[in-house]
Amino acid sequence: MRAPSSPALRPLLLLLLAAPWGRAVPCVSGGLPKPANITFLSINMKNVLQWNPPECLQGVKVTYTVQYFIYGQKKWLNKSECRNINRTYCDLSAETSDYEHQYYAKVKAIWGTNCSKWAESGRFYPFLETQIGPPEVALTTAEKSISVVLTPPEKWKRNPEDLPVSMQQIYSNLKYNVSVSNTKSNRMVSLKNGAYVHEPLCS
């Protein structure tokens, strides 16, 4: 004869039966406060979604799940690497690599069987919102002159073996301003909109 199961174990048994192996048990939406400040940090088209933990839950080991949406499409999409994570960021560079499209993202917090409602970012437009990093600067000096060569930064690459793309190929009007200070004459020379400049050092 099989021993009857303990009444205290029955809810757990029912929970295990309701959740196939490897599949997360659905959480109760609204049981937690939402994550805050859902924003994209984008530098040279490397687009990372960031957020703050829910208020009043700092120090509690909650996890997060992220989804993203391509403006004009019909459904939210998952990123498997950003499901049930304990960090407060998700790299969506590959998913938002078409910089002429616009995107949304959303995050929910999960703790046990409780979860928050989705917290949504504003619309993200990489072409207008990415920050362009500083150029590489190479200096070559001669007896009475200095040459300054500026190399714009490269766009983020999906794969290391991909050919590099300069940010100047995306923004054809990208310009840099260079200031050269002559400590001997106490003179500052501003050289605008030049990728290569040559300036005498003596007056």
Side-chain angles (χ1 to χ4, degrees):
M1 175 182 289
R2 181 181 299 175
S5 60
S6 167
L9 294 177
R10 284 173 191 162
L12 178 59
L13 292 173
L14 289 174
L15 190 61
L16 291 173
L17 289 172
W21 184 256
R23 186 178 303 172
V25 178
C27 57
V28 180
S29 180
L32 292 179
K34 296 189 293 186
N37 299 325
I38 319 298
T39 56
F40 277 92
L41 175 62
S42 177
I43 301 176
N44 299 329
M45 301 298 178
K46 181 175 176 63
N47 307 322
V48 178
L49 187 73
Q50 299 181 331
W51 59 90
N52 293 339
E55 292 183 8
C56 306
L57 287 181
Q58 283 82 0
V60 177
K61 293 184 178 180
V62 299
T63 60
Y64 304 94
T65 290
V66 173
Q67 291 185 336
Y68 67 97
F69 182 82
I70 303 172
Y71 184 70
Q73 300 297 315
K74 294 183 178 180
K75 64 178 182 178
W76 289 87
L77 303 171
N78 295 309
K79 177 166 183 173
S80 58
E81 295 86 349
C82 292
R83 294 190 62 169
N84 298 319
I85 57 175
N86 55 20
R87 62 184 185 272
T88 55
Y89 66 89
C90 171
D91 190 341
L92 291 173
S93 302
E95 291 72 19
T96 58
S97 61
D98 188 337
Y99 52 82
E100 294 185 337
H101 281 177
Q102 299 175 44
Y103 306 90
Y104 291 92
K106 62 182 181 179
V107 186
K108 70 176 176 180
I110 305 167
W111 184 50
T113 57
N114 293 314
C115 61
S116 70
K117 294 182 178 179
W118 290 101
E120 192 172 312
S121 72
R123 191 187 302 184
F124 172 59
Y125 187 10
F127 184 78
L128 293 182
E129 297 181 47
T130 198
Q131 301 174 39
I132 300 174
E136 291 183 9
V137 181
L139 302 178
T140 304
T141 59
E143 185 179 354
K144 294 183 178 180
S145 66
I146 181 171
S147 297
V148 183
V149 179
L150 305 179
T151 304
E154 294 180 2
K155 175 186 176 294
W156 172 84
K157 295 191 295 185
R158 184 189 294 261
N159 300 304
E161 61 271 17
D162 289 347
L163 292 175
V165 176
S166 167
M167 291 297 286
Q168 194 154 37
Q169 291 177 247
I170 300 172
Y171 302 97
S172 57
N173 60 346
L174 177 62
K175 305 293 182 183
Y176 292 98
N177 295 339
V178 179
S179 294
V180 178
S181 176
N182 187 333
T183 56
K184 197 178 253 187
S185 65
N186 233 3
R187 187 165 61 100
M188 176 77 74
V189 179
S190 292
L191 306 158
K192 296 184 178 181
N193 300 335
Y196 174 85
V197 294
H198 180 84
E199 180 68 18
L201 292 180
C202 58
S203 0

